[in-house]
Amino acid sequence: MRRLSFWLLVLLLHFEQLQSRTATPPLPVLPIPSVAQLRWQRREIIMFFHFGMNTFTDREWGTGYESPGLFDPAALDAGQWVDAAAAAGVDLVILTAKHHDGFCLWPSRYTDHSVERSPWRGGRGDVVREFVDAARSRGVDVGLYLSPWDRHEKTYGQEIEYNEYYMAQLQELLTRYGSVSEIWFDGAKGKNATNMTYYFQDWFQTVKQLQGSINIFSDAGPDIRWVGDESGFAGPTCWSSINRTMLKIGEAGIENYLNTGDPRGTDWVPPECDVSIRPGWFWHKNETAKPLSQLLDIYYKSVGRNCVLLLNVPPNTTGLISDADVVRLKEFRSALNTIFSTDFAKGSKAQASSQRGGKNGGFAACNVLDGEDTTYWAPSEVDGRRQTSGYWLKLGELDPTVRFNVIRIQEAITMGQRIKQHKVYADGKAVVTNGTTVGHKRLHRLESAVHARAVRIWIKESKGPPLISSVGLHFDPFH
């Protein structure tokens, strides 16, 4: 009898140990992001500065025949640009080092069409250097745009010669100025432009050789893709995955594919939504900044649809961001802080259809409320075998006197993007909103505010078990 009691005690202790053991994480659903892509995604808003010869000629696309003597921003202060970006909560800024007109904002050894031939700083200035130094001194990362289309360079149209020229300038930018976090390529050029074959793969490999942690942007990545429009809007369905082999940079007719991504895509290439705060990309005296309501709408349709917002703010002819634009940027950041600084989901009780590893498995529903990027709710393996019924996550014991009109859902994208369809219920009855993909962040902006004791998210369809890292409830007074 004593021996039987002993073995029963051993079995009980073993069972308790199994119950207290943290469950292993589930397998990822490929593709998954790199460390550099994750860091980029979490920035959410970054900033573009379109500045150059077009600023002084009142054009969007220059001819390439402009005199360098026109470039003379008497009060240029790159520190003021970066301060404006930082005040908007931005920690990555990108400069047009060379636009389509071919004028270089640094003294390139390979052309006479640069700041070196301008009156600015007596021909000894370097906008790229001042930009990089201003950003670094403020703890802000930098990116650069080097236009492939060059309307000034005489070798443009000569396949070998121009690709060598472009590569040489690329090497200058990526070896002279320290760490560069993002480099921008595009296929933009006029309808009647000289035919030219760009050696994108050669450029990409050189970029990675010179800057190992950089993200490369283009229509087809390899790290970040264009969203397919310049309005700042991603599709209501937006996958981070695509098949890069289906895309050619600069090719027409790929916009819809870029806008929505591909659930069967084998490459993780998340979209960047580029849009200007003004109607034009370069500064024009007769243009003004978009109203706050429009900027907020862009935010919800970019960051709120699994994208990073690249907001262009063009410096003026004096070399400064216009005062009105600086004010608008501060208003934009203040509005976002007002909306998202209070989370009415905090203090609620999270429950789920199941959780991986049981009670102490480390993947509890309450993980969606802890504010950590590295934790998440994961359903159990058993629940995963009955996907036809979907999965659900519930936030209960909410304050019914509080109203909210923004619902935030975030996936643990380190493990891949999974959710295909979801619905959100208030108090178990009314469907307050529904959608398809989630990704890094999905923001549902409701037509009217809601009071509820409980909110339930039903994941109707997903690629494997859904992994949710965060859920929030917010109030937008500007809506």
Side-chain angles (χ1 to χ4, degrees):
M1 188 69 179
R2 288 181 179 176
R3 291 185 65 184
L4 181 61
S5 298
F6 170 77
W7 286 113
L8 284 172
L9 180 60
V10 170
L11 288 170
L12 180 61
L13 289 171
H14 181 63
F15 178 74
E16 288 179 349
Q17 288 174 346
L18 288 175
Q19 287 292 98
S20 63
R21 184 185 299 172
T22 300
T24 58
L27 291 171
V29 171
L30 301 180
I32 58 175
S34 68
V35 171
Q37 288 172 321
L38 275 174
R39 185 181 183 192
W40 167 87
Q41 186 90 60
R42 289 168 179 163
R43 296 180 193 274
E44 297 195 345
I45 303 177
I46 59 179
M47 195 164 288
F48 220 158
F49 295 120
H50 272 64
F51 184 66
M53 188 59 71
N54 293 337
T55 308
F56 298 87
T57 61
D58 201 29
R59 291 175 176 267
E60 284 292 298
W61 283 7
T63 65
Y65 294 102
E66 297 87 355
S67 168
L70 296 172
F71 185 85
D72 193 15
L76 189 146
D77 182 359
Q80 188 251 6
W81 307 357
V82 181
D83 286 339
V90 169
D91 64 359
L92 169 62
V93 290
I94 303 174
L95 174 67
T96 53
K98 182 186 79 171
H99 205 253
H100 309 324
D101 52 78
F103 184 77
C104 298
L105 295 185
W106 79 101
S108 174
R109 291 175 293 174
Y110 303 103
T111 182
D112 58 0
H113 200 51
S114 78
V115 288
E116 196 169 27
R117 293 297 184 95
S118 77
W120 178 68
R121 304 275 196 261
R124 294 183 295 276
D126 184 340
V127 180
V128 176
R129 170 55 62 195
E130 294 190 22
F131 168 75
V132 167
D133 289 350
R136 295 239 166 79
S137 67
R138 291 160 173 79
V140 174
D141 293 327
V142 300
L144 297 170
Y145 168 68
L146 184 67
S147 171
W149 185 30
D150 190 323
R151 305 185 78 178
H152 176 82
E153 173 54 34
K154 292 179 174 59
T155 62
Y156 190 86
Q158 301 171 39
E159 188 170 320
I160 299 297
E161 290 82 356
Y162 181 73
N163 275 285
E164 289 177 343
Y165 171 79
Y166 187 91
M167 186 84 80
Q169 291 198 323
L170 195 59
Q171 289 172 330
E172 283 185 319
L173 291 173
L174 296 181
T175 58
R176 285 187 188 180
Y177 300 100
S179 176
V180 177
S181 295
E182 182 171 337
I183 185 105
W184 239 72
F185 298 106
D186 65 13
K189 60 181 179 181
K191 292 180 180 179
N192 298 319
T194 303
N195 188 44
M196 181 70 216
T197 299
Y198 303 134
Y199 289 2
F200 282 114
Q201 295 309 314
D202 298 54
W203 302 353
F204 292 168
Q205 290 193 38
T206 299
V207 167
K208 291 292 187 178
Q209 181 188 73
L210 298 175
Q211 299 271 346
S213 61
I214 199 169
N215 281 317
I216 299 174
F217 169 97
S218 80
D219 293 356
D223 303 306
I224 304 166
R225 76 177 192 260
W226 181 44
V227 76
D229 62 53
E230 293 185 346
S231 59
F233 296 166
T237 296
C238 187
W239 291 95
S240 292
S241 53
I242 59 170
N243 282 313
R244 291 189 59 223
T245 55
M246 295 176 60
L247 299 173
K248 182 179 179 181
I249 299 171
E251 185 178 38
I254 61 175
E255 291 84 0
N256 289 339
Y257 184 77
L258 294 171
N259 202 243
T260 61
D262 189 342
R264 295 174 297 279
T266 56
D267 304 296
W268 186 276
V269 189
E272 189 170 89
C273 293
D274 57 321
V275 64
S276 186
I277 196 170
R278 289 164 169 250
W281 289 95
F282 286 88
W283 182 84
H284 303 285
K285 186 177 181 179
N286 63 340
E287 293 182 353
T288 57
K290 291 176 170 61
L292 176 61
S293 59
Q294 189 173 355
L295 291 178
L296 287 174
D297 187 49
I298 289 169
Y299 179 85
Y300 282 107
K301 292 175 180 175
S302 57
V303 176
R305 290 180 176 176
N306 187 40
C307 294
V308 167
L309 170 58
L310 175 57
L311 181 62
N312 178 65
V313 183
N316 59 31
T317 52
T318 68
L320 298 172
I321 304 296
S322 297
D323 290 343
D325 293 1
V326 173
V327 170
R328 186 54 42 81
L329 287 172
K330 289 179 179 178
E331 290 175 350
F332 184 37
R333 173 43 57 186
S334 177
L336 293 176
N337 290 344
T338 297
I339 297 165
F340 295 104
S341 60
T342 300
D343 182 0
F344 298 112
K346 294 295 183 185
S348 65
K349 182 180 179 180
Q351 297 174 296
S353 51
S354 66
Q355 56 194 48
R356 184 178 178 87
K359 182 179 179 181
N360 300 312
F363 300 98
C366 62
N367 288 349
V368 304
L369 301 173
D370 65 9
E372 298 291 333
D373 288 331
T374 55
T375 62
Y376 51 89
W377 163 66
S380 72
E381 301 89 323
V382 174
D383 202 6
R385 287 193 286 270
R386 57 170 193 264
Q387 286 191 50
T388 53
S389 61
Y391 310 83
W392 59 265
L393 179 68
K394 178 182 176 182
L395 303 182
E397 300 181 11
L398 296 168
D399 184 348
T401 65
V402 169
R403 58 179 183 156
F404 57 89
N405 58 4
V406 177
I407 299 170
R408 173 177 52 82
I409 310 171
Q410 296 184 240
E411 286 189 76
I413 60 169
T414 55
M415 306 294 283
Q417 188 178 354
R418 299 166 179 245
I419 296 174
K420 291 183 174 182
Q421 289 189 62
H422 66 282
K423 291 184 178 182
V424 182
Y425 297 82
D427 288 332
K429 297 178 182 179
V431 177
V432 292
T433 190
N434 61 77
T436 52
T437 51
V438 172
H440 169 69
K441 181 174 286 187
R442 184 62 183 257
L443 296 173
H444 290 291
R445 197 184 199 191
L446 309 181
E447 289 300 319
S448 57
V450 173
H451 297 266
R453 292 182 179 274
V455 168
R456 186 166 71 96
I457 301 169
W458 178 43
I459 295 94
K460 182 179 179 182
E461 186 180 1
S462 64
K463 296 167 62 178
L467 307 179
I468 297 181
S469 65
S470 185
V471 175
L473 304 172
H474 309 276
F475 181 70
D476 180 350
F478 307 96
H479 188 38

